[in-house]
Amino acid sequence: MDNPTRVLTTLDRHLNHAVSLVIYGRAALCLGFEQPREEFAHTEDVDGIIRMSQLEALSNDTGFWDAIDATNEELETDGLYLTHLFRADQVFLRENWEQHIQPIPRPTTKHLTLLPST
Amino acid sequence: MKHEAMKSLAEQLGTTGHISPLLMKARRLGLAEPEDLERLAILRGCRYYDSHIAEQAEQRVDWRSVSENDFTNTELALALLSVSLPKSQIRLRMGAAMIAADGVQAREVVRRARMERCESVVRHIAQCASQVEPDNPFWKSLLHGLPETAPKPWVLPDITRFVAMTGVTRRGTETVMQWIRPRQRIAA
């Protein structure tokens, strides 16, 4: 199993409610494309973008942050983590970028809806 | 344009701030403001800095209720050094002291620094500390574990801000630097 899948399925297991997360960087390249380069599977973390429309709700979502903590604790021995979550206004994105994102079909998750940034 | 004092440490270091899960954890424990972290550090032994913040921090939370099990000294150190907070010289100095607390493991600091994107800050501290305590394996381990980063001395405190300096010792008049670290209270 590739590392992004491990991180995200672990997060999904610790969540108890629906969360939509935009991922980017190597994890998005690994999961968002068919036959991605092998090196993307070995990235140690998953980077995320918090959309401005979800910023307040997610900031106050203690269940989400508890799940992040639990994920990082569980994966500590393997050196994997998910902590680099950026506000959308803090990263370079194309104009109207939210209109161009598509759900990522894998991995299969119960609570987590994954979207790649473009 | 944002006033310098309002800029996050990340901005001053020329990088992007992130929404820190570590600060979110602190907030869930009632440590909602940077001053709460400073107060907790003083409660954990950073009394050297007590007078610096005594008038700034209001009593918003019972810091004694936040145990080291809830929020470890490593987490507290890295929260004080968070690049997502506004830059504060005193907070950086307290973070440097907390990193040197008893029981803090270099491996854990390296992992947390990577997760919190403050490797350059921790490396700067380790470089300063290794000049003061060149034989301390803790600082060597930190420097070994952290990536090389371009120093930004105009942003981060000078070595003299992390140490207590003695002018007179048993050997006479000389300058001796001691790394400031938290001290446990002596039981009455």
Side-chain angles (χ1 to χ4, degrees), chain B:
Chain B
M1 185 180 289
K2 204 183 282 186
H3 189 274
E4 266 319 279
M6 296 298 290
K7 283 186 177 178
S8 69
L9 179 56
E11 286 177 284
Q12 296 210 19
L13 288 168
T15 184
T16 307
H18 67 291
I19 302 172
S20 161
L22 181 58
L23 294 182
M24 286 294 181
K25 179 179 180 180
R27 196 169 90 172
R28 295 201 299 284
L29 292 168
L31 307 167
E33 302 296 332
E35 291 79 10
D36 297 325
L37 299 169
E38 296 169 14
R39 270 281 157 222
L40 182 60
I42 287 172
L43 194 73
R44 299 244 180 118
C46 280
R47 294 191 297 282
Y48 184 90
Y49 295 113
D50 198 2
S51 60
H52 290 75
I53 67 158
E55 293 175 7
Q56 297 173 22
E58 296 173 27
Q59 182 80 33
R60 280 182 299 266
V61 61
D62 182 2
W63 295 278
R64 288 166 298 188
S65 67
V66 182
S67 72
E68 288 184 37
N69 281 335
D70 295 330
F71 204 60
T72 67
N73 283 337
T74 307
E75 289 175 312
L76 177 56
L78 273 294
L80 288 161
L81 300 174
S82 175
V83 295
S84 298
L85 292 177
K87 181 192 165 188
S88 156
Q89 292 281 334
I90 191 70
R91 208 156 41 242
L92 289 169
R93 292 167 66 189
M94 295 174 87
M98 284 307 303
I99 275 186
D102 285 346
V104 172
Q105 302 292 317
R107 184 178 154 277
E108 176 67 5
V109 173
V110 169
R111 173 173 160 80
R112 286 277 177 185
R114 188 168 66 230
M115 290 166 68
E116 286 297 317
R117 304 176 58 251
C118 61
E119 291 160 303
S120 64
V121 179
V122 176
R123 186 171 181 84
H124 171 77
I125 290 166
Q127 282 174 326
C128 292
S130 64
Q131 293 177 52
V132 181
E133 300 176 346
D135 299 324
N136 188 335
F138 176 78
W139 304 120
K140 289 178 183 172
S141 296
L142 275 189
L143 289 172
H144 179 73
L146 293 165
E148 295 275 354
T149 48
K152 294 199 168 90
W154 59 92
V155 177
L156 300 171
D158 179 75
I159 184 173
T160 56
R161 311 306 289 164
F162 299 124
V163 299
M165 286 197 267
T166 311
V168 180
T169 71
R170 67 175 67 196
R171 293 190 294 270
T173 303
E174 61 180 347
T175 301
V176 176
M177 290 196 291
Q178 284 186 309
W179 193 258
I180 297 169
R181 45 172 44 89
R183 305 170 85 91
Q184 297 299 315
R185 283 189 192 283
I186 299 167

Side-chain angles (χ1 to χ4, degrees), chain A residues 29-30 33-38 40 106:
Chain A
L29 293 169
C30 176
F33 293 89
E34 295 297 330
Q35 298 178 319
R37 279 159 53 180
E38 175 70 16
F40 300 146
R106 63 190 178 94

Side-chain angles (χ1 to χ4, degrees), chain A residues 44 50 55 59-60 62 65-66 68-69 72 75-76 79-81 83-87 90, chain B residues 11 15-22 24-25 27-28 107-108 111-117:
Chain A
E44 293 179 339
I50 308 296
L55 179 62
S59 295
N60 294 318
T62 55
W65 297 105
D66 284 340
I68 293 272
D69 285 349
N72 290 328
L75 298 176
E76 179 178 355
L80 307 180
Y81 59 96
T83 54
H84 297 174
L85 299 168
F86 298 91
R87 292 162 47 124
Q90 295 293 304
Chain B
E11 286 177 284
T15 184
T16 307
H18 67 291
I19 302 172
S20 161
L22 181 58
M24 286 294 181
K25 179 179 180 180
R27 196 169 90 172
R28 295 201 299 284
R107 184 178 154 277
E108 176 67 5
R111 173 173 160 80
R112 286 277 177 185
R114 188 168 66 230
M115 290 166 68
E116 286 297 317
R117 304 176 58 251

Side-chain angles (χ1 to χ4, degrees), chain A:
Chain A
M1 184 189 292
D2 59 76
N3 286 344
T5 296
R6 282 197 63 200
V7 172
L8 292 166
T9 53
T10 305
L11 175 63
D12 186 64
R13 185 157 36 79
H14 286 293
L15 283 169
N16 60 8
H17 59 283
V19 170
S20 158
L21 187 66
V22 177
I23 62 172
Y24 81 111
R26 283 174 291 181
L29 293 169
C30 176
L31 299 174
F33 293 89
E34 295 297 330
Q35 298 178 319
R37 279 159 53 180
E38 175 70 16
E39 67 196 74
F40 300 146
H42 300 299
T43 182
E44 293 179 339
D45 71 327
V46 174
D47 294 336
I49 297 174
I50 308 296
R51 286 161 287 173
M52 300 312 288
S53 57
Q54 68 173 164
L55 179 62
E56 186 175 353
L58 209 55
S59 295
N60 294 318
D61 183 349
T62 55
F64 172 70
W65 297 105
D66 284 340
I68 293 272
D69 285 349
T71 298
N72 290 328
E73 195 173 321
E74 182 175 328
L75 298 176
E76 179 178 355
T77 51
D78 297 318
L80 307 180
Y81 59 96
L82 194 166
T83 54
H84 297 174
L85 299 168
F86 298 91
R87 292 162 47 124
D89 64 357
Q90 295 293 304
V91 288
F92 287 107
L93 295 161
R94 65 189 285 187
E95 197 173 348
N96 300 320
W97 67 279
E98 289 187 58
Q99 295 173 15
H100 300 279
I101 50 180
Q102 300 283 330
I104 295 178
R106 63 190 178 94
T108 302
T109 49
K110 184 177 177 184
H111 300 294
L112 201 55
T113 301
L114 297 169
L115 307 152
S117 73
T118 52

